[in-house]
């Protein structure tokens, strides 16, 4: 379904649920951010003091569990207007104030997580075995107690104090690490000749210097197309070196200190490593299981990667002969994207320049929103004249298509700006759960991305991998909005870290299917449909470079595991070692990719393997249910919404999978879609 102007509503007409969104103000001054931070800390402190002062013999659900639930909802609903602007505000002073608020609130998180008095009341409540406790309420109580033990509240006061100080330092360093990455603004200057091989659609979007040279930043819309298409090796070398040297001087030290501090906390808590500490709460449970999973996958990929590497080398040799360049007999880091892109052109005849013309951002957005609406039984209405943080941001209200009930709201912030978060991500801004009055709070989320900006003479055109990114991140948005949990603690994407990518990865499959692709593509000039021949070649190219791309994921996963199973580490050396051993491609000397590897300071520490782990389940869901029963089957889509999305974290990931699949999950679809096993049981990519 295409979004039409007739479906738009004004912000004024959404006021029926505006009461729980009244604090989502994006025009706060630095001083207002500081003031609101003070007030929020004061309110939550009072709630925890209230629980901590209850007579242990008189604890009950109402004076303990419910007070904490209400406080956690207040905190989750109020915090993000304070800490989210650091990622998106066009004003540097506001970004700085937001970062400081995030630091203060993160330190406050540590203080609240170490409240032994509150922990003791929860233990007392559990021992009383309150009757009539709902399953989710019981899960909430047990979760709070387990987290308390994981914070060391059963240990001596001396150890608790040490953990508290280390945790505060970890929090501050993590925020600094990501702020450094967000504020990074390196740009390189190249002559037109140095950008040989790049299409007009690329160079038209670049800033020009007075002498006619081009300014190329390290933002995704500049970096990745250049690395794939520029036939000048020296240009690619300069860009790759700069890209993997981002924040190297400052963030290398931060990351290595984080590794040491995390290891110390894990040891104090009785764990052999930080990885084992974080994995206890995940589906994988421990680093041994993760190591086995990555090892088995590596053994399957190794021969595939070796063949692909040899083929890339032959492409390089042929290109060097054709262009009169010296052939050094090696593949370098700056060669990989370029020759992997050639594989798609040579083996699958995918014309990337032609393909690009069929994915204008506006058409992709309309098609994507229509697909999600039809699949999940939803209706999206664009809000006119919304209150947003930048003029390019759009706001939508989400309704249930059958009942008209408001499900939530989401923002789309899709273009790069100075100081803006440089990757693509979904940010939950308000949880979807029950409020103190028993009514459902309407969740709010934002998708932030960095797709090429349109200009006066050229539209924003997406690479196919960007379309895939759009589908992935919007899958997270739907997870946030469709959630219907009792407690904020379980709202939306607050599931096991190695399950959180399942819903979004599953929905990536739609960008490799003919019917959805036709719905989200149209030539930017005349609106003509994408030719079947080009479409078929694109779909066939899904298995292109599957060995090397997945080996890189194994490199990142193993580096993460190694860094977090040691007491200290040389991050650049570990990355270089694994690149050489697993990929067979050396890291560029003098670089350190991990210094801008935001996942390691953004909640995926010891857990980057989750992307591959989740893919096992996402592929099983897609091929066992959607491909079998119809990829646009609304019955399956609504069941998926009910079983997987609405449950949030109120149910274990494995229980959700078993319920939706009707059996234990298996790896067949995962390996078959990587082209790593025979096609059986009707599975095929």
């Amino acid at each position: 379904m295409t979004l039409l102007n007739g479906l738009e509503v004004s912000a004024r007409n959404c006021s029926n649920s505006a009461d729980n969104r009244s604090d989502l103000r994006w025009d706060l001054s630095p001083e207002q951010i500081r003031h609101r931070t003070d007030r929020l800390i004061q309110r939550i402190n009072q709630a925890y003091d209230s629980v901590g002062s209850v007579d242990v013999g008189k604890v009950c659900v109402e004076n303990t569990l419910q007070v904490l639930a209400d406080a956690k909802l207040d905190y989750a609903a109020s915090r993000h207007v304070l800490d989210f602007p650091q990622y998106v505000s066009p004003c540097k002073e506001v970004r700085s104030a937001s970062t400081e608020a995030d630091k203060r609130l993160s330190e406050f998180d540590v203080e609240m997580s170490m409240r032994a008095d509150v922990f003791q009341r929860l233990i007392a409540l559990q021992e009383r075995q309150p009757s009539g406790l709902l399953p989710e309420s019981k899960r909430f109580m047990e979760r709070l107690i387990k987290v308390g033990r994981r914070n060391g509240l059963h240990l001596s006061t001396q150890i608790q104090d040490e953990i508290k100080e280390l945790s505060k330092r970890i929090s501050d360093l993590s925020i600094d690490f990501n702020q450094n990455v967000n504020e990074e603004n390196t740009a390189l200057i190249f002559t037109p000749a140095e950008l040989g091989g790049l299409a007009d659609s690329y160079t038209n979007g670049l800033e020009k210097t007075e002498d006619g040279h081009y300014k190329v930043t390290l933002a995704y819309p500049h970096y990745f197309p250049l690395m794939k298409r520029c036939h000048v090796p020296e240009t690619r070398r300069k860009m790759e070196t700069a890209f993997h040297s981002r924040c190297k001087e400052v963030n290398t030290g931060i990351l290595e200190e984080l590794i040491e501090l995390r290891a110390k906390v894990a040891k104090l808590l009785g764990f052999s490593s930080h990885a084992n500490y974080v994995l206890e709460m995940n589906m994988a449970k421990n680093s041994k299981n993760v190591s086995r999973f990555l090892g088995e996958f590596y053994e399957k990929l190794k021969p595939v990667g070796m063949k692909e590497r040899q083929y890339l080398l032959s492409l390089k040799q042929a290109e060097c002969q054709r262009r009169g360049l010296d052939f050094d007999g090696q593949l370098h880091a700056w060669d990989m994207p370029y020759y992997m892109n050639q594989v798609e052109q040579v083996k699958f005849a995918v014309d990337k320049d032609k393909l690009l013309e069929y994915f204008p951002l506006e058409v992709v957005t309309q098609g994507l929103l229509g697909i999600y609406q039809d699949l999940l039984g939803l209706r999206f209405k664009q809000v006119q004249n919304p209150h947003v943080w930048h003029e390019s941001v759009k706001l939508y209200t989400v309704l249930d298509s059958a009942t008209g009930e408001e499900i939530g709201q989401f923002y789309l912030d899709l273009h790069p700006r100075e100081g803006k978060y440089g990757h693509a991500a979904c940010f939950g801004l308000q949880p979807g759960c029950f409020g103190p009055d028993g009514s459902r709070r309407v969740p709010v989320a934002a998708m932030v991305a960095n797709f090429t900006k349109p200009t006066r003479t050229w539209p924003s055109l997406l690479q196919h991998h960007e379309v895939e990114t759009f589908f992935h991140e919007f899958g997270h948005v739907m997870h946030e909005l469709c959630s219907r949990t009792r407690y904020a603690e379980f709202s939306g994407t607050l599931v096991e870290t190695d399950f959180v990518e399942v819903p979004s990865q599953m929905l990536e499959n739609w960008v490799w299917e003919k019917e959805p692709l036709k719905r989200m593509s149209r030539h930017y000039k005349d609106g003509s449909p994408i030719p079947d021949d080009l479409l078929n070649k694109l779909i066939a190219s899904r298995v292109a470079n599957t060995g090397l791309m997945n080996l890189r994921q194994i490199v990142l996963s193993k580096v993460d595991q190694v860094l977090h199973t040691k007491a200290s580490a040389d991050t650049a050396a570990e990355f270089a070692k694994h690149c050489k051993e697993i990929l067979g491609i050396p890291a560029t000397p003098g670089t350190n990719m991990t210094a801008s590897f935001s996942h390691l300071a953004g909640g995926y520490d010891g857990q980057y393997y989750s992307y591959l782990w989740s893919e096992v389940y996402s592929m099983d869901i897609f091929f066992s249910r959607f491909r079998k029963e119809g990829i646009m089957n609304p019955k399956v889509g609504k069941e998926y919404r009910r079983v997987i999305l609405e449950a949030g974290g109120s149910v274990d990931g494995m229980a959700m999978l078993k319920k939706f699949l009707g059996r234990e999950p298996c790896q067949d679809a995962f390996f078959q879609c990587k082209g790593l096993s025979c096609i059986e049981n009707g599975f095929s990519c």
Side-chain angles (χ1 to χ4, degrees):
M1 185 188 299
T2 301
L3 277 179
L4 303 173
N5 289 336
L7 289 179
E8 292 181 354
V9 293
S10 70
R12 184 176 60 256
N13 291 335
C14 293
S15 61
N16 62 320
S17 58
D19 57 327
N20 68 19
R21 292 198 298 269
S22 58
D23 283 341
L24 283 183
R25 281 187 52 196
W26 307 116
D27 56 356
L28 297 177
S29 67
E31 183 54 42
Q32 287 173 314
I33 289 174
R34 284 188 283 271
H35 180 60
R36 283 192 174 214
T37 302
D38 290 339
R39 284 169 50 202
L40 178 57
I41 288 173
Q42 184 180 25
R43 283 202 313 275
I44 305 306
N45 233 333
Q46 287 173 348
Y48 274 68
D49 287 346
S50 166
V51 173
S53 63
V54 171
D55 187 315
V56 174
K58 296 180 180 178
V59 293
C60 62
V61 171
E62 290 73 22
N63 64 20
T64 304
L65 200 63
Q66 193 56 51
V67 174
L68 292 174
D70 293 344
K72 283 179 173 289
L73 171 56
D74 181 13
Y75 192 59
S78 305
R79 174 170 181 156
H80 299 303
V81 76
L82 306 172
D83 66 9
F84 178 58
Q86 68 183 297
Y87 301 105
V88 295
S89 174
C91 174
K92 187 167 185 176
E93 289 74 20
V94 170
R95 293 198 303 272
S96 296
S98 177
T99 300
E100 286 307 309
D102 193 11
K103 283 188 175 183
R104 287 191 61 203
L105 291 168
S106 296
E107 289 188 5
F108 179 65
D109 291 342
V110 174
E111 292 285 349
M112 293 303 97
S113 71
M114 301 299 289
R115 289 287 297 256
D117 53 348
V118 172
F119 179 69
Q120 288 158 8
R121 269 78 188 163
L122 287 167
I123 294 288
L125 180 64
Q126 185 182 48
E127 289 172 350
R128 290 177 78 113
Q129 298 182 335
S131 60
L133 210 56
L134 294 169
E136 190 177 333
S137 300
K138 185 171 182 287
R139 182 181 177 88
F140 179 49
M141 179 177 68
E142 290 171 348
R143 168 67 66 86
L144 294 178
I145 291 170
K146 185 169 186 176
V147 169
R149 288 202 172 96
R150 284 173 55 77
N151 289 331
L153 296 181
H154 60 300
L155 302 174
S156 70
T157 305
Q158 182 182 350
I159 292 177
Q160 288 181 39
D161 289 343
E162 190 173 353
I163 290 170
K164 186 189 294 186
E165 292 310 308
L166 290 169
S167 298
K168 286 182 178 180
R169 177 64 177 159
I170 288 170
S171 174
D172 283 351
L173 288 172
S174 299
I175 293 168
D176 288 343
F177 184 101
N178 283 307
Q179 183 185 26
N180 292 335
V181 175
N182 292 339
E183 296 291 342
E184 207 283 334
N185 60 0
T186 299
L188 285 74
I189 307 297
F190 294 108
T191 65
E194 289 174 318
L195 297 181
L198 291 161
D200 289 346
S201 58
Y202 179 85
T203 53
N204 285 343
L206 297 177
E207 184 182 330
K208 269 191 169 184
T209 62
E210 289 183 2
D211 55 2
H213 293 181
Y214 289 104
K215 181 179 180 182
V216 184
T217 73
L218 301 179
Y220 285 9
H222 285 187
Y223 179 75
F224 286 111
L226 183 148
M227 295 304 295
K228 289 180 177 182
R229 304 303 303 278
C230 181
H231 61 61
V232 183
E234 181 60 12
T235 300
R236 298 198 310 270
R237 186 195 68 78
K238 288 178 179 177
M239 283 293 287
E240 192 275 334
T241 300
F243 189 76
H244 287 132
S245 298
R246 289 175 299 158
C247 309
K248 183 182 72 169
E249 302 304 326
V250 60
N251 275 1
T252 297
I254 289 176
L255 180 57
E256 291 177 0
E257 185 178 350
L258 278 171
I259 289 163
E260 291 178 13
L261 295 175
R262 289 166 178 162
K264 286 179 182 177
V265 171
K267 187 176 180 181
L268 288 169
L269 291 167
F271 289 85
S272 59
S273 67
H274 176 70
N276 276 326
Y277 169 70
V278 294
L279 292 172
E280 183 193 37
M281 299 290 278
N282 286 2
M283 297 173 80
K285 297 305 177 190
N286 57 60
S287 58
K288 184 179 178 182
N289 290 336
V290 173
S291 180
R292 183 167 60 246
F293 168 71
L294 294 173
E296 288 174 0
F297 193 24
Y298 171 60
E299 289 305 317
K300 283 181 178 283
L301 284 170
K302 191 176 178 181
V304 182
M306 193 177 298
K307 286 180 183 176
E308 290 178 357
R309 206 163 52 240
Q310 288 304 314
Y311 185 64
L312 294 190
L313 200 57
S314 71
L315 290 175
K316 179 176 179 178
Q317 185 175 18
E319 167 127 342
C320 287
Q321 289 174 348
R322 191 167 63 251
R323 296 191 181 280
L325 304 171
D326 290 335
F327 176 60
D328 59 8
Q330 297 179 47
L331 283 172
H332 303 285
W334 59 87
D335 291 326
M336 296 297 287
Y338 181 72
Y339 291 107
M340 286 169 76
N341 186 62
Q342 279 197 15
V343 170
E344 296 178 41
Q345 295 174 329
V346 174
K347 279 195 172 182
F348 299 93
V350 177
D351 185 337
K352 290 292 186 72
D353 287 338
K354 193 67 181 169
L355 193 62
L356 185 78
E357 296 175 1
Y358 288 92
F359 290 120
L361 178 59
E362 286 191 10
V363 173
V364 172
T365 303
Q366 288 178 350
L368 176 147
L369 296 180
I371 289 166
Y372 272 97
Q373 288 175 101
D374 292 352
L375 189 66
L376 300 177
L378 301 170
R379 191 155 50 97
F380 302 154
K381 291 186 175 183
Q382 186 173 348
V383 176
Q384 291 180 315
N385 305 315
H387 172 61
V388 291
W389 50 88
H390 187 267
E391 60 185 8
S392 65
V393 177
K394 295 178 180 178
L395 175 65
Y396 294 82
T397 292
V398 181
L399 307 173
D400 183 277
S401 60
T403 66
E405 176 194 4
E406 185 173 9
I407 300 298
Q409 286 198 328
F410 65 87
Y411 298 90
L412 293 180
D413 183 354
L414 303 180
H415 299 298
R417 296 186 295 277
E418 185 173 349
K420 180 184 165 183
Y421 180 77
H423 307 282
C426 165
F427 292 83
L429 301 178
Q430 286 205 154
C433 58
F434 290 126
D437 61 356
S439 63
R440 180 177 180 262
R441 303 280 296 212
V442 176
V444 183
M447 181 185 157
V448 176
N450 287 274
F451 302 137
T452 306
K453 280 183 186 176
T455 66
R456 284 179 300 173
T457 57
W458 204 264
S460 174
L461 300 175
L462 301 191
Q463 303 278 346
H464 180 258
H465 75 86
E466 292 179 305
V467 178
E468 188 173 41
T469 296
F470 201 163
F471 253 76
H472 177 98
E473 296 303 339
F474 199 76
H476 286 309
V477 172
M478 290 295 96
H479 201 177
E480 289 282 0
L481 268 53
C482 291
S483 164
R484 300 185 74 87
T485 60
R486 179 167 292 274
Y487 299 107
E489 188 85 357
F490 302 129
S491 179
T493 57
L494 295 176
V495 298
E496 300 101 315
T497 304
D498 51 7
F499 184 79
V500 74
E501 298 298 334
V502 170
S504 49
Q505 284 179 335
M506 197 279 293
L507 288 152
E508 288 177 22
N509 287 287
W510 272 253
V511 307
W512 295 102
E513 298 285 332
K514 187 171 285 189
E515 181 188 350
L517 279 168
K518 284 187 172 181
R519 287 184 64 172
M520 64 178 111
S521 61
R522 205 162 56 238
H523 198 278
Y524 78 95
K525 284 184 178 176
D526 58 15
S528 59
I530 189 167
D532 280 344
D533 180 53
L534 186 57
L535 204 54
N536 291 334
K537 288 172 180 175
L538 169 65
I539 292 168
S541 73
R542 186 174 191 178
V543 295
N545 306 302
T546 188
L548 290 171
M549 287 195 297
N550 284 284
L551 282 172
R552 177 166 171 78
Q553 286 297 89
I554 288 178
V555 168
L556 298 177
S557 300
K558 280 183 169 277
V559 167
D560 175 36
Q561 286 293 301
V562 167
L563 295 180
H564 291 109
T565 50
K566 291 185 171 185
S568 61
D570 181 333
T571 53
E574 288 293 351
F575 180 73
K577 174 177 177 284
H578 284 79
C579 278
K580 186 65 177 172
E581 289 179 357
I582 296 172
L583 264 182
I585 311 291
T588 303
T591 64
N592 184 10
M593 176 271 175
T594 64
S596 55
F597 190 7
S598 297
H599 291 77
L600 299 186
Y604 275 78
D605 40 292
Q607 301 169 93
Y608 191 81
Y609 76 93
S610 298
Y611 285 94
L612 287 173
W613 182 280
S614 295
E615 203 173 349
V616 171
Y617 304 120
S618 66
M619 288 299 184
D620 200 4
I621 289 173
F622 178 72
F623 286 95
S624 298
R625 294 297 311 273
F626 286 97
R627 172 64 76 81
K628 187 177 178 181
E629 300 175 46
I631 59 168
M632 291 305 300
N633 186 330
K635 178 176 176 292
V636 183
K638 287 172 186 173
E639 184 185 348
Y640 174 76
R641 173 181 155 191
R642 178 176 55 80
V643 175
I644 304 291
L645 302 183
E646 288 186 0
S650 66
V651 179
D652 287 345
M654 186 57 72
M656 285 187 255
L657 287 167
K658 289 178 182 177
K659 185 174 181 180
F660 188 72
L661 294 169
R663 57 163 171 79
E664 293 278 344
C666 68
Q667 295 187 351
D668 292 358
F670 173 69
F671 286 123
Q672 285 157 4
C673 282
K674 303 295 183 187
L676 299 176
S677 60
C678 296
I679 295 175
E680 302 167 346
N681 305 322
F683 288 131
S684 169
C685 286

